Amino acid sequence: MVKPAQMTKVSVTGSKNQLQKVIDTLYELELLDIEDYEGGELEKGEPFEDAEDISELLVDVRSILSKLPDSEVVEEKSVSLGDIQENLGEIKSEVDRLEDRRDEIEKERSRLEDQEEFFSRLRGTDLTYEDLQGTDSLEVFIGRMDVDRFKKETGSSHEILQGEDSEIVFYRREDAGEVEKVLREVSDEQYSLVDTDFTGTIEEILQAIEYRREELEEEIDAIEEGFKNLAKKWGGKLENAESFLAEKVEKSEAPIRFATTKRTFIAEGWVPTDSLDQLRKRLNEENGDKIHIETEEGENPPVKQENNQVVEPFESLTDLVDVPRYNEVDPSFLILLTFPLFFGMMIGDAGYGISSAIVFFAGMKMFPKASELFKALLWTSAATLLFGLLYGEMFGFRIYESPFYRAYYWTEILYLTVLIGLAHVNLALLIGAYNEYVRHGLLAAVYEKISWILLQAALVAGYLTGVLYGSTAGWGVLLGLGVPSLMMLYKGEGIAGIVEIPALISNILSYLRLFGVCMAAYTLAGTANAIASPAYASGTLMGIVAGTLILMVGHTILTFIKIMEGFIQGIRLHYVEMFGWFFEGGGRKYAPFGADR
């Protein structure tokens, strides 16, 4: 649970006659994380003959599936490759027909919107579309302008009509030069006459546009129903076909990752050490002891995080930073131990514990791919509930006379958060010392990590000695313990270690944010209740309803604010203040062949 599973590098060698059977077995076992052969003395393998055809078929199936809606009702999920190949062309043609028609309708809808916007500006006139086109002797201006100024500068020989949001000017073609010059000066905007197949008056055209829009809506509904029917009839089969084809493609292209000669193949990769015997047994059973399996030395093994069901959801929080290295402690269990406690201590309200749990349950249902993250966050809801009961608070109200009511202990909480920071950072240093011990030995662990702990011990010992026995004794203890600690630190990390001493202090003091958010959470909940209080105090039905609405809206908003604050500040203390002292990351996730099914 603390460290990733031990991995062993193996090579699988056999005759090309056995290649297909070996690939099938490896795919079924889901144990071998294949290392691609990058070229060298041997040749890279080639895909099986049907790989290209199957890959193209898979692309077509996925393309169709991406266009079909999800269907809860599936008539049949059985699949055969022949059935899919036989019907895929017909399905694709129908999908393309529906999609092309939907695109045409969307374009027509857009044109109708432009036409409606234009003709709506002309409401209030008795003009027809033909009038707006002008004649051999008349020009037409449609736009917005200063009418009084236009009349003043051109006289009253031009007909001006007022629409709902524009003016229409009819003027003689022979006066066009003079009139258009004035229009350029007095107009704010000019609207071009839109193309349309509708005729009649402005109102008749607008009615025709609305009627056509309703027709298109009905046609869109029919197209969507067509997609649903296709999904109902073929969705299940296509999904099954996608899984089947994806497996075939992965198997058919697997030889590309192997080294080959004319007669043999060599596949290299990593397998969990405790599964090595299983790999040997199955390959030999399936191939009659014709496969040769050897263990090898290798670098950069993949990381298989080996956590129980409780810790496993917290891997998602670790992976937000990076995958642990193969030879370092997996910090997922540390996040489980302290992140929910930090969150609960800060928010500390039974009501928000319940409301945040509802949010996280909803997140699991709405975002299945992030379900592990929401499972981890449910632990923060539980901690928030427990701390809320400890504090005696629910949605900012005091629910019983708790001896641990936090409003009585702000000073103590302030000091407690500093002690939490001290413990959390030094725990990180101890884990860092273990990582260094595994990689580089005991001296490296002492010089690079333990020296930081000894330096802090020197400061504490010097301070306490000074308080008890005077400053001279205190300085003596401080220098006596501190100088060797600094020398070890310099030996382990060089000048960079000395320069980072203020960062250690800064990291520890950063845990004061636990106090800050704790106080803010308490204050915000009380503020929401205080806003609602006058409404309740009125004693009227309207006041009670208004107060209830204020509380519901206020605490709903505060639920999301507190989730955000609790998550950001709590996880930041792990990612920044803690992980920096021991976690390097940069590992590669264990991805065994066949596990993507």
Side-chain angles (χ1 to χ4, degrees), residues 64-202:
I64 292 172
L65 278 173
S66 69
K67 298 171 184 177
L68 294 180
D70 294 332
S71 177
E72 295 181 2
V73 181
V74 178
E75 290 184 353
E76 186 182 353
K77 291 199 73 173
S78 61
V79 63
S80 72
L81 189 57
D83 191 25
I84 291 297
Q85 288 176 315
E86 181 180 344
N87 292 279
L88 194 63
E90 180 184 342
I91 301 169
K92 189 174 185 299
S93 296
E94 180 63 10
V95 168
D96 289 344
R97 184 189 70 79
L98 291 172
E99 196 171 42
D100 289 345
R101 180 55 189 150
R102 184 167 58 186
D103 290 344
E104 291 173 3
I105 290 174
E106 290 302 329
K107 290 178 182 178
E108 187 174 351
R109 274 175 160 178
S110 179
R111 290 194 297 270
L112 289 176
E113 287 177 5
D114 293 339
Q115 293 172 22
E116 182 180 37
E117 182 181 5
F118 175 80
F119 289 111
S120 293
R121 299 179 186 277
L122 308 182
R123 268 197 166 112
T125 67
D126 294 328
L127 297 173
T128 65
Y129 184 73
E130 291 74 17
D131 295 333
L132 299 174
Q133 293 176 304
T135 65
D136 291 340
S137 59
L138 285 177
E139 293 282 356
V140 183
F141 167 85
I142 305 169
R144 300 176 66 182
M145 67 176 186
D146 186 334
V147 176
D148 293 336
R149 185 179 169 192
F150 177 77
K151 287 181 178 179
K152 182 178 179 181
E153 297 193 20
T154 61
S156 57
S157 59
H158 313 295
E159 184 177 3
I160 304 175
L161 299 177
Q162 182 67 51
E164 190 174 277
D165 191 34
S166 67
E167 288 79 37
I168 305 96
V169 181
F170 294 91
Y171 54 93
R172 291 189 297 271
R173 192 177 293 273
E174 59 202 57
D175 299 331
E178 177 187 349
V179 172
E180 289 171 2
K181 179 181 178 182
V182 175
L183 284 171
R184 282 193 294 271
E185 295 175 357
V186 303
S187 63
D188 298 323
E189 194 170 359
Q190 182 174 358
Y191 307 121
S192 299
L193 182 65
V194 298
D195 293 328
T196 183
D197 295 330
F198 301 118
T199 58
T201 65
I202 300 300

Side-chain angles (χ1 to χ4, degrees), residues 363-419:
M364 289 172 60
K365 299 297 182 183
M366 295 171 63
F367 308 102
K369 291 184 178 179
S371 61
E372 290 298 298
L373 175 60
F374 286 111
K375 284 180 186 177
L377 292 176
L378 281 172
W379 284 85
T380 67
S381 296
T384 302
L385 175 62
L386 290 175
F387 272 93
L389 294 175
L390 181 68
Y391 296 154
E393 296 176 34
M394 177 173 280
F395 290 122
F397 294 104
R398 194 171 182 186
I399 55 177
Y400 74 98
E401 293 294 324
S402 171
F404 302 105
Y405 186 53
R406 57 179 156 177
Y408 296 158
Y409 299 102
W410 291 127
T411 301
E412 289 80 1
I413 292 173
L414 176 69
Y415 292 135
L416 177 62
T417 56
V418 176
L419 291 176

Side-chain angles (χ1 to χ4, degrees), residues 73-76 90 228-237:
V73 181
V74 178
E75 290 184 353
E76 186 182 353
E90 180 184 342
K228 288 179 181 178
N229 290 334
L230 281 174
K232 181 179 178 182
K233 182 177 181 180
W234 290 103
K237 290 182 177 180

